[in-house]
Structures are given as structure tokens and as C-alpha cells.
């Protein structure tokens, strides 16, 4: 069974899937990441919105492994930013590289 986007992000942030306390915050951050992907020309032409745990990765793209990493990093920076600047720099560099690769792939 294909895993939901929300469940994956929760796992990446070490939040139990059954804990719904942060769902609204996570969904907002997830949608920011998908909006950014749309702006760089990757994914469906319309804005992709995750409303709940029923939205699956394959609903966005059949080739979604790099997208999981990207969305996970974006969400982490929004809801749980690192304390140390070198970690922040590392996440930011990874996000920038993934955006560049996805932009190239989208063209």
C-alpha cells in the first residue's frame, strides 16, 4: 500500500502517525513545499494540495523518491528549524540542489 504524504512527513519528523496535534501545521508546510515545486515547474500544472492523510505520493508523481526528501527538508525547516547554523546551511544546500535538479528535469 502506498504511504500517505502526511504519514511520511510525520515519520521524518519523528512524530507518531497517530498524533494529530501537529497535522494542520504540517499540512500547511507540506503545501508550501508543493507550491514551490509548482513554481519551479515540477509536477502537475495545477497547484497540488494535501488536505489530509489520504493523499498519497503517487497522486503527485509516480517518481517521488526525490520529492519525499525535498518535502521532508522543507517541512523540517518550517516547523522544526535546526539550532545550529551548519545544519541549517546543510539543509538549505540540499534543498537548493534538489530544486535545481527538479527544475532541470521539468524542462
Amino acid at each position: 500500500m502506498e504511504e500517505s504524504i502526511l504519514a511520511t512527513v510525520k515519520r521524518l519528523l519523528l512524530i507518531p502517525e497517530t498524533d494529530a496535534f501537529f497535522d494542520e501545521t504540517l499540512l500547511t508546510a507540506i503545501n508550501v513545499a508543493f507550491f514551490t515545486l509548482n513554481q519551479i515547474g515540477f509536477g502537475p500544472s495545477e497547484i497540488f494540495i494535501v488536505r489530509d492523510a489520504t493523499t498519497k505520493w503517487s497522486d503527485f508523481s509516480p517518481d517521488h523518491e526525490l520529492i519525499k526528501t525535498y518535502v521532508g527538508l522543507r517541512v523540517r525547516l518550517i516547523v522544526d528549524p535546526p539550532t545550529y547554523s551548519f545544519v541549517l546551511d546543510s539543509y538549505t544546500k540540499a534543498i537548493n540542489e534538489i530544486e535545481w535538479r527538479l527544475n532541470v528535469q521539468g524542462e
Side-chain angles (χ1 to χ4, degrees):
M1 182 174 173
E2 174 84 34
E3 189 168 25
S4 82
I5 293 170
L6 181 58
T8 301
V9 170
K10 282 181 167 184
R11 189 178 70 248
L12 292 172
L13 295 175
L14 305 176
I15 299 171
E17 190 174 341
T18 56
D19 184 353
F21 184 79
F22 297 104
D23 282 7
E24 186 175 340
T25 301
L26 294 174
L27 288 169
T28 300
I30 289 167
N31 287 322
V32 166
F34 281 112
F35 181 80
T36 303
L37 288 171
N38 179 269
Q39 291 293 297
I40 64 171
F42 189 83
S45 58
E46 67 279 347
I47 302 294
F48 183 79
I49 298 174
V50 179
R51 299 192 193 290
D52 55 33
T54 63
T55 307
K56 309 292 184 208
W57 289 104
S58 59
D59 296 336
F60 179 75
S61 172
D63 183 23
H64 53 270
E65 289 306 314
L66 189 58
I67 303 300
K68 282 183 181 180
T69 302
Y70 177 78
V71 171
L73 286 169
R74 274 279 181 196
V75 171
R76 180 172 295 280
L77 283 182
I78 293 170
V79 301
D80 187 24
T83 307
Y84 298 106
S85 63
F86 65 90
V87 177
L88 177 63
D89 290 343
S90 176
Y91 287 179
T92 302
K93 286 178 184 177
I95 287 169
N96 290 337
E97 180 177 345
I98 293 170
E99 285 177 348
W100 180 83
R101 291 181 184 280
L102 291 173
N103 190 19
V104 168
Q105 184 177 342
E107 292 178 356

